[in-house]
Amino acid sequence: MKFFQFKSLFVVYVLLNLQTQYLVLGKPRVPCFFIFGDSMSDNGNNNNLATLAKANYKPYGIDFPKRSMGRFTNGRNLPDFIARYLGFPKPIPPFARTMYAKGIKSLRGVNYASGAAGIRSETGQAKGMVISLDEQLRNHEYTISKIDRLLGRNESATRTYLQRCLYVVEMGSNDYLNNYFSSSSYTTNLLFSPQEYASVLLKQLSSQLKILYNQGARKVAVFGVGVLGCTPFAMATHDTRGSLCVDEINNAVQLFNIGLKSLVQELNANFTDAKHTFIDLYQISSQGPPVSFTPCCQVKLSGEQCDPYGKICGNRSEAIFWDGVHPTEIAFMALANRSFNAQLPSDSHPFDISHLAQLKLP
Ligand SMILES: *[C@@H]1O[C@H](CO)[C@@H](O)[C@H](O)[C@H]1NC(C)=O
Ligand SMILES: *[C@@H]1O[C@H](CO)[C@@H](O)[C@H](O)[C@H]1NC(C)=O
Ligand SMILES: *[C@@H]1O[C@H](CO)[C@@H](O)[C@H](O)[C@H]1NC(C)=O
Ligand SMILES: *[C@@H]1O[C@H](CO)[C@@H](O)[C@H](O)[C@H]1NC(C)=O
């Protein structure tokens, strides 16, 4: 009995604590924000993994306040900006840090993203260890059990809490660059046509999004894959055949994006108590002014990541690419801006993230 009282007091304390935090700093539009993704979103989960896909060395992070290491850019990344626009005072912590911490650290959200990771579990493994989307979802299960304990093991309270959160899923780029179009390490290119491969990826992503739904997610933004065929890395490693970019890669990615947009519509039709939205990163990033494809940092021979001893460009606000594949902070900000507040109807379907966050669900 004593223990029970103590536990309830603790719950009240946690809720009060969260409330004061909101009062002081302005209430975020959602109580919690969970992120599933790859290196566009990773903020340190790969730091202690045995992989080449990590960014915990200079010049990565040089523009981040307090030099937080592990982001694949010079400063803040996509979810950092979205968290900020949602009203969170601080970035959402990486799972690598919340994993060993008490539940309260997980309450306002967790970032599970892992550089080189994909929808398929073998994706990115040619570079070493990676936390695939399946594994990220298992990590989320672990977070949920901690939140449940914190809320007094009250299933209905936990469910109510989780369904008010925002979830983003930003996956697929590596299933192309670090799988399908990396034929020295993978056989998918031999097994599937681009259309078949897009279908295989979408089928798997569909089951993964259903797992997330079953875990209680009701507001889910799913990002499409960007203009991968125009990254400096793709252009250095593939023949552009006289085109501005590598059309073969862009065409393959577009098949995936078109299917993903339909998948999101289908999920909304089938699960009427949830809202999913498709953010068209390809569309958003192909409509800017003509830009330089030169990476800001000097990239390593492999062409993807920065050389720790290399030079960096003079004005980081003028570059779109930070390294061979990743946007600069300013480019991430532009992508986040239009994901959050659509500028064109084609930016997101059926709504942008600010509207998704504000939706009242049944
Ligand atoms: C569980 O939480 C709900 C609020 O979601 C509350 O109404 C209910 O009283 C709680 N149940 C217990 C046993 O504490
Ligand atoms: C939605 O429901 C239809 C009809 O039951 C089904 O054929 C389809 O596979 C479902 N789609 C998804 C993504 O669950
Ligand atoms: C860097 O470029 C931006 C955008 O063109 C410009 O506004 C800024 O003044 C430049 N900064 C420096 C130090 O040259
Ligand atoms: C993003 O939006 C903010 C707020 O509207 C604006 O100040 C900033 O210039 C925008 N940045 C980019 C790169 O579009």
Side-chain angles (χ1 to χ4, degrees), residues 55-73:
N56 55 349
Y57 62 88
K58 276 206 285 190
Y60 287 99
I62 54 171
D63 295 317
F64 197 91
K66 289 197 243 153
R67 286 264 166 103
S68 159
M69 284 296 166
R71 289 169 172 81
F72 290 73
T73 183

Side-chain angles (χ1 to χ4, degrees), residues 24 37 113 149-150 171-172 179 203 206 237 240 252 257 270 293 315 331:
V24 175
R149 219 174 304 144
L150 204 60
M171 273 291 184
N179 189 328
K203 190 161 172 233
S206 172
T237 51
T240 59
N257 287 332
N270 289 14
F293 293 133
N315 188 343

Side-chain angles (χ1 to χ4, degrees), residues 235-283:
M235 297 207 286
T237 51
H238 291 78
D239 190 353
T240 59
R241 298 170 208 265
S243 200
L244 188 60
C245 299
V246 186
D247 295 341
E248 186 194 4
I249 299 183
N250 284 343
N251 294 341
V253 159
Q254 277 295 58
L255 294 171
F256 173 80
N257 287 332
I258 291 166
L260 183 53
K261 190 172 157 187
S262 314
L263 171 61
V264 162
Q265 274 165 356
E266 238 179 273
L267 291 170
N268 283 340
N270 289 14
F271 301 97
T272 50
D273 60 342
K275 290 291 174 215
H276 294 77
T277 194
F278 168 68
I279 309 292
D280 200 340
L281 271 193
Y282 191 103
Q283 201 63 25

Side-chain angles (χ1 to χ4, degrees), residues 181-325:
F181 288 108
S182 186
S183 48
S184 54
S185 313
Y186 295 92
T187 55
T188 43
N189 203 304
L190 301 172
L191 294 172
F192 305 111
S193 71
Q195 183 67 68
E196 286 164 349
Y197 190 60
S199 303
V200 165
L201 290 180
L202 289 164
K203 190 161 172 233
Q204 191 168 353
L205 183 56
S206 172
S207 332
Q208 289 159 335
L209 290 172
K210 282 175 201 164
I211 291 173
L212 188 58
Y213 172 86
N214 287 329
Q215 289 176 333
R218 292 297 179 268
K219 293 181 173 187
V220 186
V222 190
F223 281 81
V225 173
V227 193
L228 293 186
C230 302
T231 56
F233 170 69
M235 297 207 286
T237 51
H238 291 78
D239 190 353
T240 59
R241 298 170 208 265
S243 200
L244 188 60
C245 299
V246 186
D247 295 341
E248 186 194 4
I249 299 183
N250 284 343
N251 294 341
V253 159
Q254 277 295 58
L255 294 171
F256 173 80
N257 287 332
I258 291 166
L260 183 53
K261 190 172 157 187
S262 314
L263 171 61
V264 162
Q265 274 165 356
E266 238 179 273
L267 291 170
N268 283 340
N270 289 14
F271 301 97
T272 50
D273 60 342
K275 290 291 174 215
H276 294 77
T277 194
F278 168 68
I279 309 292
D280 200 340
L281 271 193
Y282 191 103
Q283 201 63 25
I284 293 174
S285 47
S286 54
Q287 280 166 350
V291 292
S292 153
F293 293 133
T294 312
C296 178
C297 74
Q298 197 175 321
V299 295
K300 290 195 251 191
L301 263 184
S302 59
E304 289 173 273
Q305 289 198 228
C306 298
D307 183 335
Y309 307 106
K311 291 203 182 79
I312 53 174
C313 65
N315 188 343
R316 299 184 293 267
S317 305
E318 284 183 335
I320 293 289
F321 287 103
W322 167 245
D323 60 13
V325 277

